[in-house]
Amino acid sequence: MLVDHSVGMLHLAVLIANPGVEIAAVELAAGAQAIGPALGGAAVSAQPVLDRAAIQRYRQRLSQLREEIEELESSRDDDGVDRARTERDWVLAELAAGTGLSGRPRTFADNNERARLAVGKAIRRALTHIERADATIGAHLRGGVHTGTRCCYRPH
């Protein structure tokens, strides 16, 4: 059975052609021709995921929601409490996604992190397609292919 071409299959082909050699995910993501000048820019964006004003507005809304939940609980408005708690949970999740330790603004991922995520996802999707076509080959590759900032195929 054949497996369709995909970016992940291309990444796997490069890794399998170079067993035991660690290859940077950013190199796999960029392709051989794009390596070099295209990646020479700043590795980390100074742009925060949430700016200070947004963080402050989220915190103010959390304070308002705390008061609303207390009022709704005292008036026994269960539907209102559920809606307010749902919104509170959403706001908390947004704050957690946009801030790091101590509530400091988090910046967007650098090139290496974006490449690590993209290459890892593409390879995992390709491995899933391979496993559907041939479980033995898929299991072998899944056990031998390692992804991360640096990727490698180590046959066992």
Side-chain angles (χ1 to χ4, degrees):
M1 178 177 238
L2 292 178
V3 178
D4 291 335
H5 171 72
S6 68
V7 173
M9 291 298 290
L10 184 59
H11 297 330
L12 281 174
V14 171
L15 294 174
I16 291 168
N18 298 283
V21 176
E22 288 190 358
I23 300 172
V26 73
E27 291 176 16
L28 288 171
Q33 294 79 19
I35 297 171
L39 299 176
V44 177
S45 168
Q47 179 71 32
V49 174
L50 292 175
D51 63 17
R52 287 188 180 131
I55 292 170
Q56 184 60 34
R57 285 192 299 271
Y58 277 140
R59 288 182 178 150
Q60 287 171 348
R61 184 61 185 146
L62 282 174
S63 178
Q64 292 169 350
L65 285 167
R66 224 174 283 119
E67 292 172 11
E68 284 180 33
I69 290 170
E70 288 176 11
E71 289 174 15
L72 291 167
E73 284 175 337
S74 66
S75 66
R76 300 190 191 284
D77 182 354
D78 293 337
D79 290 336
V81 169
D82 288 343
R83 281 192 300 275
R85 285 182 177 157
T86 299
E87 182 181 351
R88 180 197 60 197
D89 293 345
W90 180 85
V91 172
L92 285 169
E94 289 297 304
L95 265 174
T99 58
L101 296 174
S102 304
R104 289 180 296 226
R106 183 178 310 217
T107 57
F108 287 105
D110 66 7
N111 290 337
N112 291 328
E113 180 65 7
R114 285 191 299 269
R116 181 189 71 79
L117 293 172
V119 168
K121 285 179 186 177
I123 288 175
R124 282 189 296 280
R125 278 192 303 266
L127 289 172
T128 298
H129 291 301
I130 292 169
E131 285 173 331
R132 286 186 195 139
D134 188 310
T136 303
I137 293 172
H140 169 79
L141 289 175
R142 194 165 296 271
V145 172
H146 305 279
T147 61
T149 305
R150 303 193 63 76
C151 302
C152 187
Y153 168 62
R154 291 190 182 97
H156 39 278

